[in-house]
């Protein structure tokens, strides 16, 4: 790890982003060039700073609701000042199969969970910067199965929804109130309302009762 890897840390929890930045800086071999908290801020700062790697949370506010996958897809053709591609490494508390597959399909080069150690994360960043792929052990199987065409089939309409929208949709379809869903996902009632509006629009449904019926018919709840 002779050369520092320039990293943009993206996470909507500022305390976590700051803690990761401090830990990586302490270990050495990594230069933190900035922190971003939203989809828009991540894209703007990546275009301005041209980091080697964008360390990316999966669930982010802003943008079109696509979270980390939206950032990875938008930055796919971005290059550093030396002409190398700006690569994305997902770092998330979630190890859900749909989250892993969505962000990898969007262009991320790897996915590790937040249980990883600082030393492991620093090593992963160097590997990603060098063009390798990195996954937490149990997550690699999801990706292999998905790209072999062996991933469980899901209704095609589900592909229209971001990972966060799918989470919200399932809670609301099961009868949870906006407040209950917001509490379960640690987001605001207003954000839940926005996600539900987007879900209904994408699925061409009118209200939450039609959403519940749709979800039961498609066997997604």
């Amino acid at each position: 790890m002779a050369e520092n890897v320039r990293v943009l840390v993206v996470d909507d929890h500022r305390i976590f982003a700051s803690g990761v930045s401090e830990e990586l800086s302490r270990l050495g071999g990594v230069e933190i060039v900035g922190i971003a908290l939203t989809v828009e801020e991540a894209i703007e700062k990546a275009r301005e700073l041209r980091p080697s790697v964008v360390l990316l949370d999966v669930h982010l506010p802003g943008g079109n609701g696509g979270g980390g996958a939206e950032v990875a897809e938008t930055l796919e053709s971005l290059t550093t000042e030396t002409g190398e591609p700006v690569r994305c490494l997902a770092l998330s508390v979630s190890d859900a199969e749909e989250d892993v597959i969505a962000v990898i399909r969007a262009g991320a080069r790897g996915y590790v969970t937040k249980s990883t150690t600082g030393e492991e994360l620093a090593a992963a960043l160097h590997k990603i910067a060098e063009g390798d792929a990195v996954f937490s052990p149990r997550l690699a199987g999801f990706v292999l199965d998905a790209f072999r065409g062996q991933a469980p089939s899901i209704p095609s309409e589900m592909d229209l929804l971001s990972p966060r929208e799918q989470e919200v949709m399932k809670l609301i379809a099961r009868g949870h109130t906006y407040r209950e869903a917001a509490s379960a996902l640690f987001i605001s009632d207003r954000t839940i309302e926005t996600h539900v509006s987007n879900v209904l629009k994408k699925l061409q449904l009118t209200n939450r009762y039609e959403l519940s019926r749709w979800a039961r018919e498609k066997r997604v709840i």
Side-chain angles (χ1 to χ4, degrees):
M1 297 185 184
E3 186 176 344
N4 282 357
V5 176
R6 301 179 72 250
V7 176
L8 172 65
V9 178
V10 182
D11 195 290
D12 62 334
H13 294 90
R14 185 182 292 275
I15 292 176
F16 178 82
S18 298
V20 168
S21 300
E22 290 174 9
E23 175 69 6
L24 289 172
S25 298
R26 182 187 65 80
L27 290 170
V30 174
E31 177 189 354
I32 304 299
V33 298
I35 290 174
L37 308 178
T38 66
V39 168
E40 292 92 345
E41 191 178 8
I43 293 169
E44 180 183 354
K45 287 194 173 182
R47 287 172 172 166
E48 175 191 350
L49 300 169
R50 304 296 177 105
S52 304
V53 182
V54 178
L55 185 60
L56 187 62
D57 192 12
V58 173
H59 298 138
L60 294 169
N64 296 315
E70 183 178 341
V71 175
E73 187 172 16
T74 303
L75 300 181
E76 195 166 15
S77 60
L78 188 66
T79 61
T80 66
E81 293 179 354
T82 61
E84 288 292 314
V86 172
R87 300 180 171 99
C88 293
L89 171 63
L91 173 66
S92 177
V93 69
S94 170
D95 61 0
E97 181 174 348
E98 59 267 25
D99 286 343
V100 178
I101 293 172
V103 76
I104 297 302
R105 286 195 187 280
R109 294 285 302 173
Y111 194 117
V112 294
T113 61
K114 289 182 177 178
S115 61
T116 192
T117 66
E119 290 82 1
E120 291 169 341
L121 183 56
L125 288 165
H126 276 268
K127 289 179 181 178
I128 293 293
E130 292 164 4
D132 292 337
V134 179
F135 296 94
S136 292
R138 70 179 299 269
L139 305 184
F142 294 162
V143 179
L144 288 173
D145 287 347
F147 285 91
R148 286 173 180 162
Q150 297 174 1
S153 61
I154 57 176
S156 59
E157 295 96 327
M158 290 289 281
D159 293 335
L160 299 173
L161 308 181
S162 70
R164 177 62 93 188
E165 287 170 347
Q166 291 183 30
E167 290 179 329
V168 171
M169 179 274 293
K170 290 175 182 177
L171 288 171
I172 298 302
R174 290 185 181 117
H176 291 272
T177 65
Y178 285 2
R179 177 161 296 181
E180 289 169 341
S183 177
L185 297 176
F186 301 102
I187 55 181
S188 70
D189 295 9
R190 180 168 293 182
T191 301
I192 289 289
E193 186 175 350
T194 299
H195 283 312
V196 172
S197 177
N198 290 337
V199 168
L200 293 176
K201 186 181 300 182
K202 290 180 179 181
L203 298 180
Q204 298 183 351
L205 300 172
T206 305
N207 53 51
R208 58 184 300 170
Y209 304 105
E210 288 187 4
L211 177 62
S212 294
R213 184 169 63 250
W214 177 89
R216 288 194 299 271
E217 289 174 352
K218 299 296 184 179
R219 298 183 179 180
V220 296
I221 61 171

